[in-house]
Amino acid sequence: MPDRWPRTILHADMDAFYAAVEQHDRPELRGRPILVGHPGPRSVVTTASYEARPFGVGSAMPMAEARRRCPQAIVVPPRFTRYEAVSRQVRAVFDAFSPVVEPLSLDEAFLDLTGSEGLLGPPGKIAGDLKAAVREATGLTVSVGAAPSKYVAKVASDVGKPDGLVVVAPSEVRAFLAPLPIRRLWGAGPKTAVRLEAMGLATLGEVASCEPGRLEAALGSLGPHLWRLARGEDERPVIAEREASSIGYERTL
Ligand SMILES: [Mg+2]
């Protein structure tokens, strides 16, 4: 019997967005390791293409270190005006699927699709149609997670990357989260992770099975919060934001 979804939330995240835009616009870069960022000695990598990632390079790494690890990578200066234009195309696709879109950055958003199954079909079909529409509009791939909460949808889009489509039905949430490592918990920084590991807790399933009072004793109010997240309990709503006011981006020097 299919699950009843109390809420249907999608998290959509463009794959290696800036690098993917460059590879789309410049076919000679396709299939090659590229680092979006300035070549200067003090700059950092804004985005690495998937071809560069096996060399251990990624966003926020100093450019000099990334070039040392992946000398064959092509360094491409960022073109933020172009990324914003593509972001607007992506946003228009999201808006066509839901009136409730909460962007997190230029290339990532939550969409609330609660109650739209009659119109658009089950969550997995909606997610697949969204991916196809983004590709049609931009030529780029997006990873999508569908779940009954924001937290689980975000984890689902991430574990499927790149070009992912991961649906976590309400009855599957606990089993989906259980094997994941502590670092997947929102709000658990390195210090918290060390404390949890000192308590013998390495996975979300172990946190979920822990006595919440024990977590509270060790971590204060963060403890029960993490306990609820590890069980997939996250009531935060998707908050619609107007495009103009919501999307900002940070230039990384
Ligand atoms: Mg992204």
Side-chain angles (χ1 to χ4, degrees):
M1 189 161 153
D3 282 34
R4 199 189 69 81
W5 289 59
R7 292 189 297 163
T8 301
I9 295 175
L10 266 51
H11 179 257
D13 186 6
M14 302 296 288
D15 299 316
F17 182 51
Y18 298 170
V21 170
E22 296 300 338
Q23 289 177 319
H24 173 268
D25 291 358
R26 295 172 57 188
E28 74 275 16
L29 298 177
R30 292 181 197 165
R32 317 228 3 217
I34 73 168
L35 304 170
V36 177
H38 294 287
R42 295 179 59 193
S43 74
V44 297
V45 175
T46 307
T47 310
S49 73
Y50 277 96
E51 294 84 358
R53 296 185 185 191
F55 297 89
V57 306
S59 301
M61 177 177 285
M63 183 60 81
E65 170 72 9
R67 295 179 80 174
R68 195 179 61 72
R69 293 189 185 197
C70 187
Q72 66 272 54
I74 301 160
V75 178
V76 180
R79 296 180 297 147
F80 290 107
T81 311
R82 173 69 180 139
Y83 309 145
E84 288 178 297
V86 179
S87 177
R88 282 192 292 274
Q89 294 179 310
V90 173
R91 176 63 195 264
V93 172
F94 293 169
D95 286 341
F97 279 74
S98 171
V100 184
V101 176
E102 179 180 341
L104 301 179
S105 68
L106 275 188
D107 78 315
E108 192 184 339
F110 287 109
L111 292 77
D112 193 334
L113 286 141
T114 307
S116 58
E117 293 200 11
L119 201 59
L120 301 177
K125 178 180 187 307
I126 300 173
D129 289 347
L130 182 72
K131 286 170 61 68
V134 167
R135 190 189 268 276
E136 166 89 23
T138 66
L140 304 175
T141 62
V142 61
S143 292
V144 179
S149 70
K150 288 171 94 170
Y151 170 61
V152 178
K154 175 134 169 110
V155 175
S157 74
D158 199 49
V159 300
K161 277 188 162 295
D163 203 14
L165 195 179
V166 175
V167 179
V168 185
S171 65
E172 301 166 343
V173 165
R174 288 286 298 271
F176 169 74
L177 294 176
L180 299 176
I182 296 292
R183 64 179 167 76
R184 289 282 186 183
L185 272 178
W186 270 355
K191 279 186 189 168
T192 304
V194 166
R195 283 195 182 158
L196 290 169
E197 277 156 23
M199 294 170 72
L201 307 173
T203 65
L204 269 59
E206 287 164 357
V207 174
S209 307
C210 187
E211 168 58 41
R214 214 181 135 217
L215 290 166
E216 186 164 16
L219 299 170
S221 61
L222 182 62
H225 171 71
L226 295 181
W227 180 77
R228 285 190 295 272
L229 272 191
R231 301 162 64 87
E233 296 168 13
D234 174 18
E235 300 302 320
R236 284 170 288 190
V238 180
I239 297 169
E241 287 188 67
R242 294 180 59 85
E243 182 187 6
S245 63
S246 62
I247 295 188
Y249 66 90
E250 292 167 34
R251 276 177 196 273
T252 313
L253 296 173

